[in-house]
């Protein structure tokens, strides 16, 4: 199996539209940018503890309620409960809903899927108009 290089990633143009795809995902799923990027990090490590979560939050702005909010909204689920004898702590994983969102973002980055405009056009503010215009531009770019 061949190892990926930096030029391979550049040729894929994977990060070309990352910012607008991230903003679209955050707006449609009611997430903050830091929450989404943290969920991508946690998805990459598969099973994690609350301590792993804390280590992952070091590079983001402090949000004391982030853990409870992501757990309550179903972005993080318990994979294994603790039992106070052999398992001293819970082990978590990202939920199916989160995995679907992340894989959809990857499909959009690769040009396999277009971003829908339905939830973005519901508001009349300037930011929604600008974002929907950027989404239209990304959808028209078939060489992503």
């Amino acid at each position: 199996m061949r190892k990926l290089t930096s030029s391979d990633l550049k040729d894929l143009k994977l990060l070309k539209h990352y910012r607008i795809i991230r903003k679209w995902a955050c707006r449609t799923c009611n997430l903050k940018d830091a929450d989404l990027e943290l969920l991508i990090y946690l998805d990459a490590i598969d099973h994690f503890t609350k301590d792993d979560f804390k280590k992952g939050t070091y590079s983001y702005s402090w949000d004391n309620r982030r853990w409870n909010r992501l757990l309550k909204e179903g972005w993080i689920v318990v994979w294994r409960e603790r039992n106070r004898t052999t398992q001293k702590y819970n082990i978590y994983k990202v939920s199916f809903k989160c995995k679907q969102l992340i894989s959809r973002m990857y499909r959009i980055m690769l040009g396999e899927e277009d971003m829908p405009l339905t939830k973005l056009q519901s508001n009349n503010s300037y930011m929604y108009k600008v974002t929907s215009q950027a989404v239209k531009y990304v959808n028209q770019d078939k060489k992503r």
Side-chain angles (χ1 to χ4, degrees):
M1 183 173 169
R2 188 173 157 263
K3 189 174 179 178
L4 281 176
T5 64
S6 59
S7 62
D8 293 336
L9 290 176
K10 183 182 180 293
D11 292 342
L12 280 175
K13 298 176 184 159
L14 194 62
L15 299 175
K16 182 177 179 185
H17 298 293
Y18 172 73
R19 181 174 169 82
I20 190 65
I21 293 168
R22 186 192 69 209
K23 287 198 171 293
W24 166 83
C26 289
R27 284 226 174 94
T28 56
C29 295
N30 210 12
L31 286 169
K32 296 178 183 175
D33 290 342
D35 295 346
L36 179 63
E37 291 182 1
L38 184 61
L39 288 170
I40 291 170
Y41 164 76
L42 294 173
D43 182 47
I45 61 173
D46 205 24
H47 296 95
F48 55 92
T49 62
K50 192 168 181 180
D51 190 48
D52 295 328
F53 175 85
K54 288 177 184 175
K55 290 176 186 172
T57 60
Y58 287 147
S59 61
Y60 300 109
S61 61
W62 175 249
D63 184 356
N64 197 20
R65 295 181 177 94
R66 182 177 286 138
W67 173 260
N68 291 330
R69 184 178 63 248
L70 293 175
L71 204 58
K72 181 182 158 195
E73 292 175 2
W75 295 104
I76 296 173
V77 293
V78 176
W79 181 74
R80 187 196 72 196
E81 296 274 345
R82 71 184 185 133
N83 66 7
R84 298 181 196 265
T85 56
T86 56
Q87 286 94 22
K88 302 284 185 201
Y89 45 84
N90 288 340
I91 295 181
Y92 301 90
K93 67 177 187 171
V94 294
S95 66
F96 180 74
K97 168 173 86 167
C98 180
K99 286 186 179 292
Q100 290 296 320
L101 173 64
I102 293 169
S103 61
R104 188 172 190 189
M105 286 176 61
Y106 288 144
R107 286 193 305 270
I108 292 170
M109 282 184 216
L110 291 171
E112 297 172 357
E113 187 177 332
D114 285 343
M115 284 185 280
L117 287 168
T118 53
K119 290 192 178 184
L120 292 176
Q121 293 177 337
S122 62
N123 196 329
N124 232 2
S125 73
Y126 174 76
M127 280 307 296
Y128 279 93
K129 290 177 183 177
V130 171
T131 305
S132 65
Q133 194 64 30
V135 167
K136 287 177 188 175
Y137 170 70
V138 171
N139 288 342
Q140 290 171 353
D141 183 13
K142 297 303 176 188
K143 295 181 182 179
R144 347 175 202 162

